[in-house]
Amino acid sequence: MNKFFQFNELYDKAWQFYQRKAYIVSLEYLNEALSLDLAISSTRLSKTFELRGLVKMQLKHYLVSIIDFNKAINLDSENPSLYYYRHLSHSVLSQYEEAIQDCKKLIILEPKNESHRKNLKSLIEISILNKRFNELNE
């Protein structure tokens, strides 16, 4: 089978298993697709890293999900969903400064989306409280 068609088939299967919440199986298909090392469009490759990042988030592997979102952003830096998902992973890991930067980028990319401003405000408040708590414990 042509590797390009094989990649698409693997991605489609991964998506189907993701929708069924069969995350481990989805991850296996995505890893296999990416191992083909094809010269495909940056948009398609970015979508693949995005899906793999989402799968890893569902598996609570937040740190490695950030790596996949970083790869996707390097390929498609104007895709707001990548910053949104990465900010969620950073937040879970208490990496508030990084999450704040992602929210700021989201506001630039989607200025009419008020939820990004609310998320940014909340993250700033949490970050301040976290710093105060850490200072008290020193």
Side-chain angles (χ1 to χ4, degrees):
M1 177 186 288
N2 179 310
K3 280 190 174 186
F4 178 77
F5 292 121
Q6 186 179 2
F7 181 93
N8 287 334
E9 184 177 313
L10 291 167
Y11 179 89
D12 291 343
K13 285 182 181 179
W15 176 248
Q16 291 168 7
F17 281 102
Y18 176 80
Q19 290 179 310
R20 293 182 198 146
K21 300 180 192 273
Y23 302 121
I24 298 292
V25 178
S26 179
L27 183 60
E28 289 171 1
Y29 280 115
L30 289 165
N31 288 340
E32 188 176 345
L34 289 166
S35 74
L36 294 174
D37 197 31
L38 291 173
I40 58 174
S41 75
S42 58
T43 303
R44 184 72 168 149
L45 193 55
S46 176
K47 290 274 184 216
T48 306
F49 281 117
E50 178 179 10
L51 181 55
R52 192 168 76 170
L54 287 171
V55 168
K56 290 175 180 179
M57 282 180 70
Q58 294 298 328
L59 295 170
K60 299 184 180 356
H61 299 160
Y62 299 105
L63 195 55
V64 289
S65 75
I66 291 169
I67 293 168
D68 279 333
F69 295 133
N70 288 343
K71 289 177 182 179
I73 287 169
N74 285 335
L75 295 163
D76 184 6
S77 63
E78 299 302 307
N79 181 347
S81 65
L82 298 171
Y83 296 95
Y84 178 77
Y85 297 134
R86 189 173 71 176
H87 116 272
L88 292 176
S89 288
H90 280 305
S91 296
V92 169
L93 295 171
S94 301
Q95 298 173 340
Y96 301 117
E97 293 305 316
E98 292 87 348
I100 288 169
Q101 292 308 311
D102 283 340
C103 276
K104 288 179 178 177
K105 181 66 175 183
L106 278 166
I107 291 168
I108 292 168
L109 292 173
E110 297 181 328
K112 294 180 181 179
N113 189 331
E114 281 302 310
S115 68
H116 299 324
R117 293 181 200 292
K118 290 177 184 175
N119 287 338
L120 177 60
K121 184 180 178 194
S122 296
L123 281 168
I124 290 170
E125 291 171 1
I126 291 169
S127 178
I128 291 168
L129 290 172
N130 189 54
K131 285 178 186 173
R132 287 183 187 160
F133 177 79
N134 288 338
E135 289 170 0
L136 289 173
N137 286 327
E138 289 180 353

